Structures are given as C-alpha cells and as structure tokens.
Amino acid sequence: MNQQEVLKILNTINAAYSRFEVTDERLVLWSEMLADMDFNKVMNKLKKYIKERPFPPTIADISVQETQENQFLLKYEQWLKEGAERREHEKQSRNISKLPWQ
C-alpha cells in the first residue's frame, strides 16, 4: 500500500470518528505499518469495523496479513509417491533376481 492509499484510509477513519486526527506523524507510522498490505482488503476491514465499533481503530484492528501457503501437505504427498515408487522398484528388482532359469 502506498502513502496515498494510507491517507485515504486515515481520511475515512477521520470522517467516521470526529476525534481521530490525521497528522504527519500518524501518516508516516501508518504508512510504514500498512506498507505490505493490500489496500482494498484493509479498506473492507475498516468499513466493517466502522459499522460495528464506536471508537477509532488501531492499526492492529484493520490489519490484513496474507497467509503463506502451507507446503507440508504437498511435500508429504510427494514423499508418499516417491516412497511407493521406490518400494515398487525394489519389489520388481527382487522378482527379477528370482527368475527360474537363473
């Protein structure tokens, strides 16, 4: 999120809560804290917050953190597949060594 988008967030808070002041210090801090967040997701969370709460939000109240994809299940399935292939290969290797003409 860029500083212009943060300013829109702060102005929205100011419009909803008369005691919330938009200052340069607040703009700098909020810009730093919201920099890696998606503007639309934060704005949607802010609008929901405004509908439900009588006091201005903190940064934590409207933060939207992206969750990282959990690779564990994919790695586990790959491990199972590779293990099954290895076991099948070993089984076939043992069967070949037991041919009657050898």
Side-chain angles (χ1 to χ4, degrees):
M1 182 178 319
N2 63 42
Q3 198 166 27
Q4 286 301 105
E5 292 170 329
V6 173
L7 187 57
K8 288 179 186 176
I9 296 284
L10 293 176
N11 285 334
T12 301
I13 296 170
N14 178 260
Y17 302 98
S18 59
R19 293 185 157 227
F20 186 89
E21 294 181 34
V22 179
T23 63
D24 290 338
E25 294 83 12
R26 186 166 278 163
L27 178 59
V28 169
L29 176 64
W30 283 59
S31 293
E32 183 180 332
M33 296 294 109
L34 300 177
D36 61 340
M37 297 180 203
D38 180 81
F39 170 75
N40 291 322
K41 290 179 181 179
V42 172
M43 183 60 86
N44 288 338
K45 192 167 180 181
L46 173 60
K47 288 176 181 178
K48 184 175 187 265
Y49 182 95
I50 290 170
K51 289 178 184 179
E52 298 172 353
R53 308 282 176 96
F55 301 105
T58 64
I59 294 169
D61 290 329
I62 62 170
S63 291
V64 179
Q65 300 295 330
E66 297 294 325
T67 56
Q68 294 182 355
E69 183 179 346
N70 186 345
Q71 295 290 320
F72 175 79
L73 187 56
L74 295 174
K75 289 180 182 179
Y76 178 72
E77 288 172 351
Q78 181 67 26
W79 178 78
L80 288 176
K81 179 182 173 189
E82 290 171 359
E85 290 170 356
R86 187 187 76 249
R87 289 181 63 186
E88 183 63 30
H89 177 72
E90 289 172 355
K91 182 179 174 184
Q92 289 175 358
S93 295
R94 275 187 256 131
N95 287 343
I96 290 174
S97 65
K98 294 180 183 179
L99 292 175
W101 58 81
Q102 292 181 332

